[in-house]
Amino acid sequence: MASIYYYRWRRTKSHIMAALCFASALIALIPLFLIFYYTMSKGLSSINWSFFTQMPKPAGETGGGMANALIGTGILIAIGSSIGLPVGILAGIYLSAHRTTLFSRIVRFLTEVLNGIPSIVIGVVAYILVVIPMKRFSALAGGVSLGILMIPLVTRTAEEMLNLIPQSYREASLGLGISRWKTTLFVILPAAFKGIFTGILLSIARAAGETAPLLFTALGNRFWSTQLDQPIASLTVFIYDYSKAPFDDWNRQAWAAALVLIVLVMLINIIFRIVTRKRYA
Amino acid sequence: MISSTEEEIPNITSDAAKSSSLSGLLKPGGKNLGDFIFENTTRLFAFLVLSLVLLMAYEMFTKSLPSINRFGWSFISSSTWDPVHDQFGALPFIFGTLFSSLIGLMIALPLSVGIAIFLSELCPQWLEHPVSLLVELLAAIPSIVYGLFGIFVMTPWLRDTVEPFLGDHLGFIPLFTGPPYGFGMLAAGLILSLMILPIIASISRDVMKAIPGSLREAAFALGATKWEAIKIVLSGSKSGILGATLLGLGRAVGETMAVTMVIGNRPSISFSLFDPGHTMASVLANEFTEATSELYTSSLIEIALLLFILTIVLNAAARFIVWSVTKKYQAEY
C-alpha cells in the first residue's frame, strides 16, 4: 500500500513545514529580546539622576551625563516638527480630499518615494541646502533634515486617519450649510485628531532615533548649546561617539542613552498601536 | 403610503442635483472664498512635497557635477578611492552595498516568508496580534541601537564562535575564508537581515491574507494537506512577496548607522563574508565631514545621488508590484 505511506509522508512533510514556520517566528524574536536584555542589563546601571542633568565629563574621567544631548534632541525635533508637521498635515488633507486625481496620485507616490530615501541622503541634501550657504554645521541644518524626514510619515498618517472618518460626517456638516473648509478644519480634523496625533508622535519617535542625517548637519557638540546657528548635541550622535570610544565608562553611558531612546520609542509605538486598533475596530 | 415615500426620495435627490449651490458644495472647488483659500493652501503644500523630491535630485546633481565631469562612467567602474591624490572610484562601495544587502536578504527572506505563513495560515487567532506586534517592533528599534548591539554583542560572538566554526568546517568555500575579525560583511548582513525582516514579513502576511479563503477550501476539499494548501496560497502571493522583498532591499541599501558600526569600513572588494567592507551609506557617514577638497565632497555627493536613484528605482518597482497585486485581487474578488 504505497499510497498510505505516501499519504503519511505528505502529512509528515506538512507538519515539518509548519514547525519550520513556527521556528522562523521564534528565531526572529530572539534578537529582539536579546537587544532588550542587553540594553537593560548594560544600560540600567548607568542611569541615575546626574545622567540626565549633568554635562559630559572630559575624556578619561568617569561619570557625567548627557543633559546637553537631551536638550539638543529636543531642539532638533522642535525644528523638524515645525517643518514636517504643517507640510505633512496640509498635504495629507489635500490627498484625503482628492483621492483619485492625477496630481494627488503623483504626490502620493512621491511621498512613498520620499519615505524610501535613505536618511543619510536626506542628510546630504540638508548639508547642501543649509550647511553650505551658512558655511557651518548648525542645529538648524539638523532640524531641516529631520523635518524632511518627517514629511512623508506625517502626510501618510494624516491622509490615512482622515480617510477613516466616515463620509457621512462630511455630508452631514455640508448639509447644515457649513462651508467645505470649516467642515474639514472643525469637523473632520477633530474627529481624526487622536489618530493623527499619535501618528505625529510616531514620526517624532522615528526622527528622535535618527543618527545618519545629523552626522554632517547638526554635527554634535560636547558643550552646552541651544543656539540654532551652532553645532548641537543629540542623543543618537552621543551614542555613536560613545560607542566608538575606548573607555568602558563611555560605552556604558552609550548603552544607558540607548536604553532611554529605546524606552521612548517603544512607548510611543505601543501607544500608537493601542489607539489605532480602537479606531479600526 | 410606503410607495409614495419611495417615489419622493428620487425627487429630492434629483432636485439636489439640479440645485447648483449644493452640488457646488459637494464637489471640490466650491465658490466660497474661504474654500478657495483653504483648497489652494493645501494644494500648495501637496505641491511642496512634489517639488522637494525634485529639488533634492537637482541639488545633488549640480553639486556632483565636478565629479561627474572629471570621472564620468569610470566613477562607478573604478575601485581606486584615494582622497590624497583626488582619485575617486565608487566601485568598492557599490559592491559593498549590494553584497551586504544580498546577504541580509538571503537570511531575511526565508525567515520572513516563514513568519508570514505562520501568522496568516497557522497560528491561532489569539497569538497573531502579539506576534506581529513583536515582529513589527523590530522595525521600530533605532538603527543606532542595532549598531550598538552589533559592536558589543554580535561581533565578539561572530569573532569567537561563529566565524572560527564556519572557517573550520566550510573553509573550502571562498565565502568562508580569511581571519575572523568579527567586523565585516557577515556582521553587516546579519544586522541588515534583522532590520528588513519586519518589512518583508508584514507585507507578505498582508498579501497572503488577501488571498481568498475559497482557494484554501478548494485545496482541502481535494484532499490537500495544510502545507499543500499553503503552497497554493504562496503561488498566489508570489508577486506580492517579490514586491515586499524589493522594499526590504531598498531599506537595506540605504541603511547607514548599524552597517557602518559593524562592517569594518575598509574599501576593498572581497567575496569572503569575514572580510571588512564599506558601503555607499557608510562611506558618507565616515568621510563626509572630513572631505577637504571640492572634488572629494563632490564625489561623496555623487555617491549619495547614486544611492538616491537606486532606492527610488527599488521603491518604485516594489510599490508598483504591490499596488498591481492588491488591485488585481480587489478587482477579482
Side-chain angles (χ1 to χ4, degrees), chain B residues 11 35-36 83 118 129 139 149 157 172 209 214 225 229 231 234 237 248 275 287 297 304 307:
Chain B
N11 281 340
D35 283 356
F36 178 80
F118 177 71
H129 212 87
F149 177 75
W157 176 63
F172 55 91
K209 285 197 130 183
S214 54
T225 62
K231 278 204 286 193
L234 271 182
S237 40
D275 280 347
E287 298 185 12
T297 308
L307 199 54

Side-chain angles (χ1 to χ4, degrees), chain A residues 256-270:
Chain A
L259 179 62
V260 172
L261 191 62
I262 222 172
V263 166
L264 195 84
V265 169
M266 289 298 140
L267 271 183
I268 293 175
N269 264 281
I270 290 167

Side-chain angles (χ1 to χ4, degrees), chain A residues 57-268:
Chain A
K57 287 266 173 70
E61 285 181 41
T62 54
M66 50 157 201
N68 59 336
L70 277 178
I71 287 293
T73 292
I75 290 175
L76 288 169
I77 286 177
I79 304 171
S81 302
S82 62
I83 298 166
L85 298 190
V87 178
I89 292 174
L90 286 167
I93 289 175
Y94 183 83
L95 292 181
S96 164
H98 306 261
R99 298 189 192 177
T100 50
T101 61
L102 178 68
F103 176 62
S104 52
R105 274 170 202 270
I106 293 173
V107 172
R108 199 173 289 122
F109 173 73
L110 286 178
T111 323
E112 299 291 348
V113 164
L114 199 56
N115 194 24
I117 292 172
S119 55
I120 187 116
V121 173
I122 290 173
V124 171
V125 171
Y127 177 88
I128 296 173
L129 291 178
V130 186
V131 176
I132 292 181
M134 282 177 76
K135 295 196 175 62
R136 64 159 165 273
F137 301 106
S138 63
L140 189 65
V144 166
S145 69
L146 293 188
I148 297 177
L149 203 92
M150 286 170 74
I151 288 174
L153 301 171
V154 178
T155 307
R156 201 170 50 179
T157 339
E159 190 198 350
E160 277 173 7
M161 294 301 156
L162 289 172
N163 284 350
L164 285 179
I165 304 303
Q167 200 62 25
S168 54
Y169 279 44
R170 182 180 294 272
E171 283 159 10
S173 169
L174 293 177
L176 290 170
I178 300 169
S179 62
R180 289 181 57 84
W181 69 277
K182 282 182 184 162
T183 300
T184 310
L185 275 188
F186 302 114
V187 178
I188 310 290
L189 211 54
F193 177 77
K194 218 160 92 182
I196 295 178
F197 182 74
T198 47
I200 286 170
L201 280 185
L202 203 64
S203 65
I204 286 178
R206 161 105 189 262
E210 279 294 344
T211 321
L214 300 180
L215 288 175
F216 35 82
T217 51
L219 195 68
N221 195 333
R222 288 192 57 75
F223 304 100
W224 183 266
S225 170
T226 52
Q227 282 165 294
L228 298 190
D229 61 345
Q230 293 296 326
I232 199 165
S234 62
L235 204 53
T236 48
V237 175
F238 177 91
I239 300 174
Y240 183 51
D241 289 340
Y242 272 42
S243 68
K244 292 189 301 183
F247 313 113
D248 281 345
D249 188 55
W250 282 24
N251 294 344
R252 266 197 299 280
Q253 289 189 30
W255 280 107
L259 179 62
V260 172
L261 191 62
I262 222 172
V263 166
L264 195 84
V265 169
M266 289 298 140
L267 271 183
I268 293 175

